[in-house]
Amino acid sequence: MRILEIASEAVPFAKTGGLADVAGALPEALARLGCETTLVVPAYREALAKSLAIEPTDMVFDVPIGTRLLPARILRARLPDARAEVYLVANDHCFDRPTLYGGARDYADNAERFIFFSRAALELACRLGRRFDVIHCHDWQTGLVPAYRRLMFGDHAAVAAARTVMTVHNMAYQGLFWHWDMLLTGLDWKHFNWQEMEFHGQLNLLKTGIVFADAVTTVSPTYAREIQTAPGGCGLEGVLASRGDVLTGIVNGIDTTLWDPAADRHIPRPYSAADVDLGKYAARVALAARLGHPAPDARPLVAFVGRLVAQKGVDLLVEVMGRMAGTGRAHFMILGTGDPAVEEGLARVAAAFPGTVDLVIGFDEGLAHLVQAAADITLVPSVFEPCGLTQLYAFRYGAIPVVRSTGGLIDTVVDATPETIADGTATGFRFDACTAIALERALERALDAHADPEPWRALVRRVMRQDWSWDASGREYLRLFQRILAAPPAVVA
Ligand code: ADP
Ligand code: GLC
């Protein structure tokens, strides 16, 4: 099967969050399952600045964007050991910028940038001299692709028979732009209606993808249910429910090569379930040194790694740290970047409890690995969470997750209750209410459990031995692709 994956970020080229982890690993997983997989990503400044094997090709073409033509230069990455083929779409005006999507504010021309990218990816597909079976799109940045395939590229042999799959990683980001950006798409105004591309007077690129794709997926079964009702659907619950027959949830996997405590260049001493205590101690020493402490703190280390935005429940965390840091029960370590107001709130708590709350503002891949290796407990107190990868990385590095019961966190973490502890299925601690007190109680439960070394060690070893690799999820995507190829293409209302 020939699969074209199109994503706005992918490891190792560029990353702001979990989408990059998925878009980097899934094409490889599909290739391992015997698919011929091609990934297309933008050639951001970040990607070109890394010393990756990226080389020019002779493919250069113009992409019509409104009344202008924007040139696309196609580059090709040849990463060692990669099975999937990777192309990057270069255009300095669009992608030679300091960040992927903007800073505190999004770039004003993000519609143009990703309309260009979506159309260029399909133009590229038509120049590769083969026929694709499935075109797999991720998030609003590629939402136009299913519409383009159907309305503009339907006659091109390379994609004429291809089915499109739209994967939603987060309903909170829909690619909403003013209606005049419709002109940039080159599509007829007749599609700017409430059943297709329009949403409350604006152009909605994610809705476009959901409406025009042959199948829609999201990144966990629970989130697939949550988004078909308010507030999970963020206004698109009706559209999603109307596509309920083709909407499924497939839990993400993790790249077990990049995230492997037994072979991780970001941690000082590799470890496995058998010698986790030694590995964690070495990571604690290295982390303490990195943070300027003379020695590691003997108290349990409670960590948070993530985007500092409302979704991640950071305000609960600020409140709980404010109350718990004074009790001396735990040491907190926060790594993240995001909303300046959220960053300031955290900075105030860190300043109030030096030696108990460490805060690093910034995006640091290596430090994320070191923190997971050093941590005893990893917090994921999200308000909503489509899948979440940090809890899966926490498992692999022997940190026990404390998570809110929402979305993919429900599907991946089994709460420690007397029953699940007795039958050996517990993998973490969950709380239901989106309140600081609920988080605090769950964290207290985890810290109580940590105080009993033998059962805790058994829990740590067990979570480390779970298999969250892409094998199972990759197979699920493949089954979905086979199913939609066997069925007639979906018809848009
Ligand atoms: P989301 O995609 O919503 O941000 P996920 O849990 O799916 O959440 O994925 C987050 C990914 O981003 C993980 O790989 C995590 O380690 C990484 N990450 C988030 N913030 C940072 C940061 N400040 N530094 C390094 N890695 C980060
Ligand atoms: C999104 C979600 C996160 C998910 C990631 C990868 O950013 O917020 O829950 O794990 O995408 O699918």
Side-chain angles (χ1 to χ4, degrees):
M1 189 183 299
R2 289 210 184 99
I3 299 165
L4 181 65
E5 294 275 341
I6 310 177
S8 63
E9 54 183 90
V11 168
F13 306 101
K15 167 167 171 176
T16 66
L19 167 61
D21 292 357
V22 172
L26 176 59
E28 286 297 308
L30 291 168
R32 280 197 298 276
L33 291 169
C35 301
E36 220 180 278
T37 318
T38 304
L39 168 67
V40 184
V41 290
Y44 298 110
R45 182 186 297 176
E46 177 180 333
L48 302 181
K50 293 181 177 169
S51 41
L52 298 167
I54 296 176
E55 52 192 47
T57 69
D58 57 7
M59 286 184 280
V60 182
F61 48 83
D62 285 331
V63 179
I65 296 295
T67 53
R68 291 184 304 144
L69 291 175
L70 284 187
R73 265 182 309 115
I74 304 301
L75 313 176
R76 175 144 191 209
R78 293 186 190 276
L79 303 182
D81 307 327
R83 291 170 190 244
E85 179 184 55
V86 182
Y87 289 101
L88 298 95
V89 177
N91 175 288
D92 291 348
H93 161 71
C94 290
F95 302 129
D96 184 18
R97 302 192 186 187
T99 63
L100 273 54
Y101 312 120
R105 279 215 196 140
D106 290 345
Y107 294 129
D109 57 352
N110 273 349
E112 175 179 287
R113 297 170 73 223
F114 291 102
I115 291 169
F116 165 76
F117 173 63
S118 298
R119 195 158 168 180
L122 280 176
E123 290 281 354
L124 165 63
C126 295
R127 285 170 161 77
L128 292 176
R130 66 193 91 134
R131 291 165 192 261
F132 287 94
D133 299 301
V134 173
I135 302 175
H136 187 187
C137 311
H138 300 266
D139 277 354
W140 69 264
Q141 292 90 340
T142 57
L144 270 177
V145 169
Y148 277 149
R149 201 226 51 90
R150 193 182 300 257
L151 304 173
M152 204 181 259
F153 288 77
D155 296 335
H156 289 66
V159 297
R163 302 292 195 271
T164 51
V165 177
M166 183 77 228
T167 292
V168 178
H169 295 262
N170 197 328
M171 285 306 302
Y173 303 95
Q174 299 185 4
L176 272 176
F177 300 101
W178 75 328
H179 61 284
W180 290 114
D181 283 338
M182 187 66 194
L183 289 172
L184 302 178
T185 67
L187 295 173
D188 197 302
W189 274 107
K190 73 177 185 206
H191 299 294
F192 192 74
N193 66 66
W194 69 275
Q195 287 177 308
E196 294 177 283
M197 302 174 74
E198 184 266 355
F199 183 70
H200 297 289
Q202 291 188 288
L203 170 63
N204 187 322
L205 297 184
L206 183 63
K207 174 176 174 176
T208 302
I210 293 168
V211 168
F212 280 91
D214 292 294
V216 180
T217 75
T218 185
V219 287
S220 69
T222 298
Y223 194 61
R225 282 191 297 277
E226 289 172 351
I227 60 179
Q228 295 184 59
T229 55
C234 300
L236 292 187
E237 49 276 356
V239 179
L240 287 156
S242 75
R243 303 240 51 205
D245 54 334
V246 293
L247 170 61
T248 49
I250 301 177
V251 157
N252 289 328
I254 60 171
D255 185 323
T256 50
T257 312
L258 287 178
W259 291 87
D260 180 6
D264 188 330
R265 63 189 172 86
H266 302 297
I267 65 175
R269 184 190 184 285
Y271 64 94
S272 66
D275 57 356
V276 51
D277 292 351
L278 293 172
K280 283 203 165 285
Y281 184 73
R284 288 283 270 280
V285 172
L287 182 62
R290 170 98 191 245
L291 297 171
H293 301 307
D297 191 334
R299 292 173 290 176
L301 180 64
V302 178
F304 172 94
V305 178
R307 292 181 294 117
L308 300 179
V309 294
Q311 174 196 343
K312 299 291 172 183
V314 195
D315 44 350
L316 306 187
L317 183 59
V318 168
E319 207 178 317
V320 167
M321 287 195 304
R323 280 211 297 264
M324 283 182 75
T327 69
R329 281 203 76 183
H331 189 117
F332 292 89
M333 162 76 217
I334 316 296
L335 168 62
T337 176
D339 184 341
V342 178
E343 291 178 357
E344 271 164 39
L346 283 166
R348 272 194 297 276
V349 192
F353 300 99
T356 293
V357 178
D358 283 306
L359 171 66
V360 175
I361 297 288
F363 196 94
D364 186 330
E365 184 74 29
L367 189 55
H369 289 236
L370 181 62
V371 169
Q372 292 278 21
D376 296 299
I377 291 167
T378 293
L379 297 179
V380 194
S382 307
V383 179
F384 69 94
E385 196 61 75
C387 177
L389 295 170
T390 37
Q391 78 280 13
L392 304 181
Y393 298 141
F395 285 150
R396 187 130 167 100
Y397 283 68
I400 302 300
V402 171
V403 308
R404 196 172 95 73
S405 294
T406 181
L409 300 172
I410 294 180
D411 297 334
T412 55
V413 179
V414 179
D415 188 31
T417 62
E419 295 76 39
T420 59
I421 292 170
D423 67 16
T425 54
T427 57
F429 296 84
R430 284 189 359 207
F431 62 100
D432 294 331
C434 201
T435 61
I437 193 78
L439 166 59
E440 187 173 346
R441 285 204 187 112
L443 180 53
E444 295 277 3
R445 278 202 293 139
L447 289 169
D448 290 345
H450 180 271
D452 201 354
E454 267 324 305
W456 182 265
R457 202 168 281 129
L459 176 63
V460 166
R461 292 205 176 118
R462 198 170 59 241
V463 302
M464 287 183 78
R465 292 198 174 109
Q466 296 175 95
D467 180 4
W468 288 103
S469 69
W470 270 103
D471 293 353
S473 304
R475 266 195 287 275
E476 262 193 80
Y477 274 105
L478 192 53
R479 275 197 294 274
L480 167 76
F481 296 165
Q482 283 159 342
R483 240 185 359 256
I484 54 173
L485 279 169
V491 179
V492 176

